[in-house]
Amino acid sequence: MSVLYNNEELQEALKEWQHILKLDAWDIRAKICRADEMALEGAQGENNWVLESRKSVIHIIDPLDYPRNTMFAQDMEQTLVHELLHLHFAPFEPDGEGLASCMMEQTIELLAGILVGQHRTNKID
């Protein structure tokens, strides 16, 4: 199952997941964006944060720009959770795109998948 949101539904999901992930102290904004509005080419989502002030802006790619030739359907909920998890790892985020960065992304993606799967089976609130 995959989830697509409009901007209103994204705001509701943000509030819910922010609470589940214990990120209530953060000021987090989320927006569905067209690909040309996003800084990262080819990304499903991106998160720009300021750790010291606990502020974050999350962009989720608009379904209109999601690649049609992929084997995996777009899942905005998993992308949102992935981007939110980055806030817990922010103090440890490696610079650059080396092995450490790749491993961090894989770990966050794994955790996002587990959490979303558990939430969808009503095992976490």
Side-chain angles (χ1 to χ4, degrees):
M1 174 172 116
S2 65
V3 173
L4 297 178
Y5 298 128
N6 61 36
N7 266 310
E8 183 179 317
E9 293 165 333
L10 177 61
Q11 303 316 308
E12 292 171 19
L14 171 61
K15 275 196 256 181
E16 179 180 18
W17 278 106
Q18 187 173 353
H19 181 70
I20 290 170
L21 295 175
K22 310 296 187 224
L23 293 166
D24 298 307
W26 282 76
D27 179 7
I28 305 171
R29 312 287 164 91
K31 180 181 172 190
I32 297 169
C33 293
R34 298 299 305 263
D36 62 354
E37 297 175 83
M38 296 179 67
L40 300 173
E41 188 175 327
Q44 293 181 42
E46 59 188 17
N47 189 344
N48 298 298
W49 63 79
V50 178
L51 187 59
E52 296 78 12
S53 60
R54 292 185 180 166
K55 293 184 180 192
S56 164
V57 176
I58 295 171
H59 295 156
I60 308 281
I61 195 161
D62 190 302
L64 294 172
D65 294 320
Y66 190 80
R68 301 281 181 245
N69 58 349
T70 181
M71 293 174 52
F72 304 101
Q74 183 177 13
D75 191 331
M76 289 179 159
E77 183 176 32
Q78 183 152 340
T79 302
L80 175 64
V81 172
H82 175 109
E83 297 305 332
L84 287 168
L85 284 170
H86 272 287
L87 300 176
H88 282 298
F89 289 91
F92 313 105
E93 288 275 340
D95 292 332
E97 296 189 19
L99 180 60
S101 181
C102 180
M103 296 307 296
M104 178 75 74
E105 281 298 319
Q106 287 181 359
T107 300
I108 290 172
E109 186 63 15
L110 175 67
L111 291 172
I114 291 167
L115 290 166
V116 169
Q118 291 294 303
H119 186 257
R120 288 178 182 170
T121 59
N122 297 314
K123 294 187 178 175
I124 62 169
D125 291 318

